[in-house]
Amino acid sequence: AQTVTQSQPEMSVQEAETVTLSCTYDTSESDYYLFWYKQPPSRQMILVIRQEAYKQQNATENRFSVNFQKAAKSFSLKISDSQLGDAAMYFCAYRSVLHTGANSKLTFGKGITLSVRP
Amino acid sequence: DVKVTQSSRYLVKRTGEKVFLECVQDMDHENMFWYRQDPGLGLRLIYFSYDVKMKEKGDIPEGYSVSREKKERFSLILESASTNQTSMYLCASSPLTGTANQPQHFGDGTRLSIL
């Protein structure tokens, strides 16, 4: 079974600075998908960024980018130019490349709470 | 945009009651999921369904059941609520067809308190 580990329960960043959130995972599969989700306080969980394991290029979405190290099974999220609205809980998640039936589920880490200091 | 609607944001019930949590999605997604979210434990999958009347147990199904009579609706049932089921419950949906990198779309969550 796959596992996802987020070892830092909390982090803090100064507004306009850069912060990196760590995530490691364990799997025996060679192809899979990785996701970062954001859950603002009392608001809906939304997708921030996704990465296909077969792609060597790191995914980027505006101020958000990932550092995907397949051999190390590491998938960190970098937030540049942090904004007050980035304050939220962030979850790392894994999904098998076989997207039918039981393999369509996501395996989540425990999450990290990011606070942004003005 | 995909809309996943959970029937209640906050719910208070008593021990022993039968509790229904409802979830409706409007994007014709095949997959639907129920998660439980607790501090320090992240999201844990309770049950999921990949078709009408089809269901599979997740990681923590004990004390719960589900119903999917229509494609757009997925209900979570607490047969006899207990205080250890006090939690935030999240519903999600995703398409079956297409590539596997399709994300799950989440509802706003139901914060359930069992007294």
Side-chain angles (χ1 to χ4, degrees), chain A residues 39-45, chain B residues 3-13 19-24 34-35 37 85-91 106-114:
Chain A
Q39 187 181 39
S42 301
R43 292 180 61 188
Q44 192 178 57
M45 187 173 302
Chain B
K3 185 72 173 176
V4 179
T5 303
Q6 294 184 230
S7 53
S8 305
R9 288 297 300 272
Y10 301 94
L11 203 56
V12 180
K13 296 291 182 181
V19 180
F20 294 85
L21 302 184
E22 307 287 346
C23 176
V24 177
W34 275 108
Y35 294 92
Q37 182 179 5
Q85 292 178 309
T86 292
S87 187
M88 169 72 86
Y89 291 87
L90 295 175
C91 176
F106 286 82
D108 288 339
T110 296
R111 189 167 292 282
L112 175 65
S113 296
I114 306 296

Side-chain angles (χ1 to χ4, degrees), chain A residues 37 39 44 50 52 95 99, chain B residues 37 96 100-102 106:
Chain A
Y37 279 87
Q39 187 181 39
Q44 192 178 57
R50 78 191 87 179
E52 289 91 343
R95 186 183 195 181
H99 59 93
Chain B
Q37 182 179 5
L96 181 63
N101 68 348
Q102 292 296 315
F106 286 82

